[in-house]
Amino acid sequence: MNTLSGVAQPATDRTRTPSTLAFNPPATPLITIDPYTSIWSFGSKLNADPTRHWTGRAHQLNGLIRVDGRVFRFMGKPTFPGDTLVHSALQHPYEARYTTKHPADNWASPDFDDSLWAAGAGTFGSRDTDRTHWTSSDIWVRRVVDLPSIPDGNLLVSAIYNDNYELFINGQRIAGIGGVSPNYEVTATQRRIRDVLRPGLNLIAFHSQNFSGPGFVDLGLLSERELNMDVAEQTSQQMTATQSTFTFAAGGVELTVRFTAPLLMDNLDVLSRPVQYITYTVRATDGKAHSVQLYSDASTDIAVDSPDQPVVWRRGRTAQNGPTLNWMRAGSAAQNVLGRKGDNVRIDWGHLYVAAEANGQTSNRIGSLAGALNQFEREGRVSDTPDEGRPTIALNNPTVLSLAFDLGTVTGKAEERHWLLAYDDLKSVEYFGQPLRAWWRRYSKDSDGPEAAIERALQAAETDYRQLRNQCDQFDTQLYADARQAGGRSYAQLCVLAYRQAIAAHKLVARADGTPLFFSKENFSNGSIGTVDVTYPSAPLFLLYNPTLLKGMMEPIFEYSESGRWTKPFAAHDVGTYPLANGQTYGEDMPVEECGNMLILTAALAAVDGNPNYARKHWQVLTTWVQYLKEHGFDPENQLCTDDFAGHLARNANLSVKAILGIASYGYLAGQLGELQAEKEYLTLARELARKWMVLADKGDHYALTFNPNGGNTWSQKYNLVWDKLLKLDRSGESIFPKEVAQREVSYYLLKQMPFGLPLDSRRTYTKSDWIIWTATLADRPTQFDALIEPVLRFANESPDRIPLSDWHETTDGRHVGFRARSVVGGYFIKMLEKKLK
């Protein structure tokens, strides 16, 4: 059962057509601190699979309940990489057939004839170390392997890739992974080995794409080892904006497990504090009394990029005024602070902390996972091991920070315990050569001692526990009610899905002058930091709840130009590769895209703030950017836009809309600043261009993809139009584009719907869900809005890829195409923002 319990459902006109779709998150957020400390339960059951970092790497949190001496697993699934089934090129070179020309649709079938394909050896790529040279955008590889026997267990894939791979075994699609992994990454498939491999000959086929940078791909197959134990029955799952709750039945008791992430944007100190809560509530349900103990652990893999990196650990107790907590910590032995950048990487500096109140009913242990589990099963407790702090690599038996609660005798009266998981990254982001601390750490000093700051944060979090739980409950209820009133039940469920993901794909840091900077990371995209066309779709969430955070996203781009480091007459695409914000690293500019984005968002800030002060601060560079749009924006050259995965496109009609509204935004801001002549000039120009646009893009019942009279009956989502509706850029009340433009487009879109959403444009059947929500917001009638929203929720509920929410998916079958766990789902909140701006 999947529910949204305890959430107010006000009676409004929105209740007349309630959604019949279940709420089944593709993955559930558990710990969402920042892009590095981000742990999820993939799928619908907390104990069906190891908990994972958003990238898919196991970041294990395990939980057991012991009832009258019998042990049940309720969280995680302790597993270890086992035997190699099919070796990768890292272990042994192998021969395969490959092509770089698009093959027939049945290319992955075992009976496909690949005799005309070229022969090559893995790895395939453009690097000097790759055995077979590959420099085109795509490669298809077929490899036959002979397996004498097939073991039991689940299948793992070990792969390197840039930018993605899709794996087929004996004709079955097994996995599709996006992003970049320059090191061999082990990923679960959720498939049993015997269901996909057979004794004898097997066909391993994979397809990889390269969008930018060096291309490379190789993979092998492994088995997964499991620890067998009884499994608690999960009876319900609930997800609200800041909390995820699971309920279990085991041995006559009910266990409720709640993960609380106090990501409350009205309190930046709490928002940035890297401490979150796991709460257990236990009660008997059979009228009997039971002896109950609870076990929890966090793997030291959470503190390293790869399990083959040595870790060290230690334990301590808070000594300052405040709650007395026992804490355990672990981190990499190397501690190469800010030494690793990229996309499919995890942090390997700073320290993971597990803490709980110091008392006689709570025990702690740092040691091997198997040892901790075995001791708890025997004794109902854990105890320290003597190998304190010894550097270790534990590939087959991970080291864990474990604790156990002895609840004593449990009856029908509920017993509650909680513990804290935290991550102190020491330094978070490098900003033009200067390492910056997280916002919560801005007043700490290196001379305070290695644990002083995090001990204070842990104690503050413990002191605030009850208050923050209540505040999260209240906020969750209000957010759902507001979202439902704005857009209906399906829309509200999508906002719930998006909230934590959007925030946790950022890091809030303090600049030297004490102002906040809020850096995004392009998760499974290319790893860029501070990307303008990620800020743009993410913005509605932050405009709605705290515009200071949006300013913290935009400030690095403004400063980049104003400092003279960026000298081009248009806005940069990014300021680096996460976590190093030292200047743009993306290989190609998006001039019209980024200028339009920055101008529109600055106007949105003025509308929300009720004043143009932020624009005044950056007026000179905004003037430079609007001049670029005047000269190049209306009929764009062959440029990339934010949908860069679709490739270059000249005369892009939707990009032209952005340029026109960027020009209008400048006029709006000029009026706010008292520059009335400039206001008139730019608003008049924008309206003239809009009418010219209507002629060039006209296709009768809709508007085209490009200004190309010979381009056929093309179309595209004109999601950029939404700002004309929301911002009311002309104080006379006249819109820049006549309202008939959006109305005509929405009516046409409803004819192009697919089972899982509206395609992005006429070129392909994939889509971007954030843009669908913006497009739906153009609709004047709730029924039209609902019709566009429902397939997006269906994608989230039914996609076969049970991973953190992807914003790029196929509308035909609901499979994700690429990207996951990105901040752009903050764009889902645009319908709520519309109400705020009315």
Side-chain angles (χ1 to χ4, degrees), residues 20-34:
T20 59
L21 295 176
F23 188 44
N24 181 33
T28 303
L30 307 178
I31 303 295
T32 46
I33 291 173
D34 60 27

Side-chain angles (χ1 to χ4, degrees), residues 488-526:
R489 184 189 298 177
S490 293
Y491 175 69
Q493 291 175 348
L494 287 169
C495 289
V496 167
L497 280 174
Y499 185 80
R500 269 177 283 174
Q501 174 172 313
I503 298 172
H506 294 85
K507 187 69 178 183
L508 182 61
V509 302
R511 194 163 48 181
D513 63 2
T515 56
L517 298 177
F518 196 47
F519 286 103
S520 63
K521 179 180 184 294
E522 282 205 56
N523 292 341
F524 266 15
S525 180
N526 68 352

Side-chain angles (χ1 to χ4, degrees), residues 714-725:
T714 64
W715 63 275
S716 64
Q717 291 189 47
K718 308 302 190 300
Y719 52 81
N720 288 311
L721 279 171
V722 74
W723 295 107
D724 195 18
K725 182 179 183 181

Side-chain angles (χ1 to χ4, degrees), residues 226-242:
E226 302 177 13
L227 292 180
N228 294 319
M229 61 181 67
D230 290 332
V231 179
E233 178 190 0
Q234 182 174 307
T235 57
S236 71
Q237 174 191 359
Q238 302 171 346
M239 180 177 170
T240 56
T242 66

Side-chain angles (χ1 to χ4, degrees), residues 551-755:
K551 294 170 188 174
M553 297 158 73
M554 297 169 66
E555 196 66 18
I557 297 295
F558 277 123
E559 186 171 346
Y560 193 14
S561 285
E562 292 163 349
S563 69
R565 298 183 182 96
W566 178 259
T567 59
K568 298 178 181 180
F570 46 79
H573 169 270
D574 62 79
V575 288
T577 301
Y578 197 93
L580 305 182
N582 294 322
Q584 179 172 311
T585 53
Y586 193 67
E588 190 165 353
D589 300 324
M590 298 185 190
V592 173
E593 174 72 38
E594 311 304 20
C595 287
N597 290 342
M598 293 295 287
L599 282 155
I600 291 169
L601 292 182
T602 305
L605 281 168
V608 169
D609 285 344
N611 65 70
N613 293 341
Y614 191 68
R616 179 181 287 110
K617 177 182 176 183
H618 299 297
W619 194 241
Q620 183 176 348
V621 73
L622 288 169
T623 301
T624 299
W625 293 341
V626 81
Q627 292 304 314
Y628 183 88
L629 292 184
K630 281 181 64 177
E631 296 174 17
H632 304 281
F634 172 70
D635 195 350
E637 299 169 343
N638 193 33
Q639 294 187 3
L640 290 176
C641 70
T642 185
D643 306 316
D644 53 353
F645 50 83
H648 293 74
L649 188 65
R651 314 195 75 188
N652 183 334
N654 187 45
L655 188 59
S656 177
V657 170
K658 179 170 290 182
I660 294 168
L661 293 179
I663 291 168
S665 293
Y666 184 86
Y668 166 80
L669 292 166
Q672 295 283 308
L673 290 168
E675 298 188 14
L676 302 185
Q677 183 58 40
E679 175 188 27
K680 180 179 179 181
E681 175 188 347
Y682 284 92
L683 289 177
T684 299
L685 174 61
R687 283 193 296 270
E688 291 174 352
L689 293 175
R691 282 152 181 78
K692 184 178 178 182
W693 181 96
M694 292 172 63
V695 174
L696 288 177
D698 185 40
K699 286 293 181 180
D701 59 352
H702 70 283
Y703 295 95
L705 170 67
T706 64
F707 300 146
N708 187 347
N710 301 316
N713 193 30
T714 64
W715 63 275
S716 64
Q717 291 189 47
K718 308 302 190 300
Y719 52 81
N720 288 311
L721 279 171
V722 74
W723 295 107
D724 195 18
K725 182 179 183 181
L726 266 59
L727 293 182
K728 305 175 183 64
L729 295 169
D730 190 324
R731 70 176 82 191
S732 70
E734 181 184 355
S735 60
I736 303 303
F737 286 81
K739 292 182 179 180
E740 67 190 64
V741 173
Q743 293 169 357
R744 185 189 300 184
E745 284 289 280
V746 169
S747 296
Y748 188 79
Y749 298 150
L750 293 173
L751 304 176
K752 297 297 181 180
Q753 288 265 74
M754 301 292 279

Side-chain angles (χ1 to χ4, degrees), residues 430-446:
E430 182 175 292
Y431 185 51
F432 292 108
Q434 181 179 16
L436 301 182
R437 293 187 174 95
W439 181 256
W440 71 275
R441 236 184 185 275
R442 64 194 183 281
Y443 299 126
S444 65
K445 300 177 181 178
D446 294 336

Side-chain angles (χ1 to χ4, degrees), residues 33-86:
I33 291 173
D34 60 27
Y36 283 138
T37 309
S38 181
I39 305 174
W40 298 66
S41 175
F42 286 28
S44 59
K45 290 190 176 181
L46 185 61
N47 55 9
D49 187 55
T51 60
R52 299 184 182 279
H53 188 260
W54 65 260
T55 58
R57 171 72 60 80
H59 274 186
Q60 294 197 52
L61 303 176
N62 295 300
L64 309 177
I65 183 169
R66 189 172 185 263
V67 183
D68 301 325
R70 184 181 175 189
V71 174
F72 302 83
R73 188 183 80 244
F74 64 82
M75 177 165 62
K77 187 178 183 182
T79 60
F80 319 98
D83 297 332
T84 297
L85 304 174
V86 176

